[in-house]
Amino acid sequence: MKHLFLIRHGKSSWSDASLSDLDRPLNTRGQRQLNAMARPLKAMGALDGEVHVSQACRARQTIEGLLDLLAEPQLIGRVHFDPDLYTFRYKRLLRWIRHLPGEPENLTIIGHNPALSDLATRLTGQETPDMATGSVLHLELPIDSWAKVGKGQSRVVAYLPPKLASYELFQRKASPPPDKGRDLRKQLPAMLHHLLERLRATQPGVVAGVDPEFLHQFRIALRRSRAITEALCTITGDEHLEKALHPLKSMARQTSTLRDLDVFLMELEARSLEDRRLRQSLRASGAGAFFRQWQAECHRQLCGHLEGKDWRKALASWETAINGKTLSRPLKKLTTSAIHDTVTERAALCHQLFARLAPESPDEPFHELRKALKRLRYLAELDTQSYRSLLDELREQQKLYGRFQDRHVQLSLLDNLADSRKGHQLPPALAEMAAELDLDKQDTRATILAHPPELKLA
């Protein structure tokens, strides 16, 4: 079995008309693409074998940039520059591969389009992605010699363009939220359609699983869709729209643990960079591997849901709901006075929930109040002009309750690690981290109790 990795050079500059095509360098966007792709390329194994590079300046700068970012001296010895790879014709690439000396299991070519995309189409016998600048295509070939490579033999293992490896690059071309002014009967449908498109647009990045920000933004789109819909249902008493929302609520639950692990692993990485003892403990105890494996399993399960027919049907049904009477019917009942009455009622509930809190209360009442404050904010956001002060206060409150929730989740994840170990104990460095998190959680709890929410409606 052979593995072929085709990498298209990063985005190049056309600013200097005096340069030949061979001498054109990478531009700023090309450098950003390298920053996004370096770690994913390493994780995919795209740089584990021989790496053959076109002599064009933009291709040379691509591998040089990756070498700088990865700082792996052993990779330099596997990099070869070849003038035959400066070509735009796939037949020339195919001949080059067939006459490759040696039989490396992994072969990587950093070259140019349309040669790379056309080669992939030839080798797979079907249409393959038109490779974007900076992207990688991984092909698997059931052959024992590169001399035998031919039409229709290979299958696509993975395709990763920079815009799916980096939310920052993806966001560069994302459409802005709609602005229909204060006419809610126009603004709410427009926003729900915008959020539906965000779900569809960010989903490939979630499936790629490289940048956790895609999942975060996917969850935001789910949460905002739910917020608008539930606020509308609360005010109007409509049940049909809320029923149509159920699959989106279910998907939000299915993404929850993975998002918690993403955030926790980012914190572990940040802490371990500054704490050598923690870094060694994560490696020696297997704790780091435990959380990464758990994260990978959650991601695998989520991809199964996202790529299944049930989710596609759910999105199609949701689109039908927000296009038709399911949404238009409750919108007709939406008035400013109805919003105000419901906000007043929910604010009173939040005050009641706070009054029940005490230093000895378990965590659950704090979580219940956090959710109630969030729902109140969603309602108030239907009329931001009338509730600016209230929204400012709610955002500050949610930061505080959010910190309490984060510490609760992080401690729960560490408890899972302890439960998986003989003796049910954490390694010393992680036990110290857990004690620090618990202390911060208790301090946050005390701050919450000392600052009742001031929910001013005027």
Side-chain angles (χ1 to χ4, degrees), residues 76-358:
I76 298 175
R78 300 198 302 274
V79 174
H80 311 276
F81 296 95
D82 196 314
D84 287 338
L85 298 182
Y86 177 62
T87 180
F88 306 102
R89 298 174 58 239
Y90 85 88
K91 290 183 178 180
R92 187 173 175 185
L93 282 184
L94 190 55
R95 283 196 302 271
W96 180 89
I97 292 172
R98 286 171 173 165
H99 292 89
L100 182 71
E103 290 296 343
E105 180 181 343
N106 286 8
L107 172 63
T108 297
I109 296 174
I110 300 180
H112 309 268
N113 248 14
L116 295 176
S117 292
D118 290 347
L119 176 65
T121 298
R122 175 74 178 181
L123 296 183
T124 60
Q126 57 189 9
E127 286 298 319
T128 54
D130 186 18
M131 294 182 65
T133 53
S135 63
V136 58
L137 185 67
H138 177 191
L139 301 177
E140 184 181 71
L141 300 91
I143 56 176
D144 56 12
S145 171
W146 290 107
K148 298 178 181 178
V149 65
K151 181 180 179 180
Q153 295 175 323
S154 66
R155 73 174 187 91
V156 175
V157 177
Y159 170 66
L160 183 67
K163 71 175 184 179
L164 295 186
S166 165
Y167 181 78
E168 180 183 356
L169 293 177
F170 161 83
Q171 181 67 6
R172 192 177 65 87
K173 290 188 175 181
S175 58
D179 183 4
K180 303 292 184 181
R182 300 193 65 180
D183 187 343
L184 291 179
R185 295 183 184 182
K186 292 182 179 179
Q187 176 65 12
L188 295 191
M191 180 57 76
L192 288 173
H193 279 93
H194 170 75
L195 292 168
L196 175 59
E197 291 309 308
R198 290 287 290 175
L199 287 173
R200 287 173 169 154
T202 54
Q203 180 172 315
V206 175
V207 172
V210 176
D211 187 347
E213 187 62 21
F214 279 101
L215 178 61
H216 181 49
Q217 295 298 326
F218 183 82
R219 282 172 55 80
I220 287 175
L222 287 171
R223 188 164 63 241
R224 294 292 297 164
S225 298
R226 178 179 177 180
I228 292 170
T229 305
E230 289 186 341
L232 184 57
C233 293
T234 298
I235 293 167
T236 64
D238 189 275
E239 297 179 356
H240 299 287
L241 183 59
E242 187 170 6
K243 184 178 179 180
L245 183 66
H246 285 173
L248 272 65
K249 293 167 68 174
S250 175
M251 180 56 71
R253 289 192 294 271
Q254 292 169 31
T255 62
S256 180
T257 301
L258 179 56
R259 177 57 185 169
D260 290 340
L261 285 165
D262 284 347
V263 173
F264 185 59
L265 281 167
M266 285 188 284
E267 175 148 345
L268 278 182
E269 183 178 3
R271 283 174 176 261
S272 63
L273 288 174
E274 300 178 356
D275 187 338
R276 180 170 173 268
R277 184 163 164 265
L278 175 61
R279 184 167 63 249
Q280 292 175 334
S281 179
L282 288 170
R283 183 169 56 250
S285 68
F290 170 85
F291 287 116
R292 286 192 296 273
Q293 289 169 5
W294 189 3
Q295 178 192 43
E297 176 59 22
C298 286
H299 181 253
R300 185 191 66 77
Q301 292 178 1
L302 178 59
C303 288
H305 292 303
L306 290 174
E307 296 176 328
K309 64 179 182 180
D310 287 346
W311 176 240
R312 288 195 298 273
K313 287 173 61 178
L315 285 184
S317 297
W318 177 241
E319 184 173 20
T320 299
I322 61 179
N323 276 332
K325 291 183 179 180
T326 306
L327 177 61
S328 63
R329 188 183 298 111
L331 276 176
K332 293 176 182 178
K333 303 177 184 178
L334 188 63
T335 64
T336 302
S337 61
I339 294 173
H340 180 73
D341 290 346
T342 311
V343 167
T344 302
E345 178 185 321
R346 287 302 178 93
L349 174 63
C350 290
H351 284 300
Q352 292 171 14
L353 292 173
F354 181 83
R356 297 173 191 170
L357 296 181

Side-chain angles (χ1 to χ4, degrees), residues 380-398:
E381 285 177 344
L382 293 179
D383 189 0
T384 55
Q385 297 295 321
S386 299
Y387 296 111
R388 286 182 178 177
S389 297
L390 175 62
L391 287 168
D392 288 342
E393 168 66 16
L394 287 171
R395 291 186 188 102
E396 288 304 312
Q397 287 285 331
Q398 283 194 272

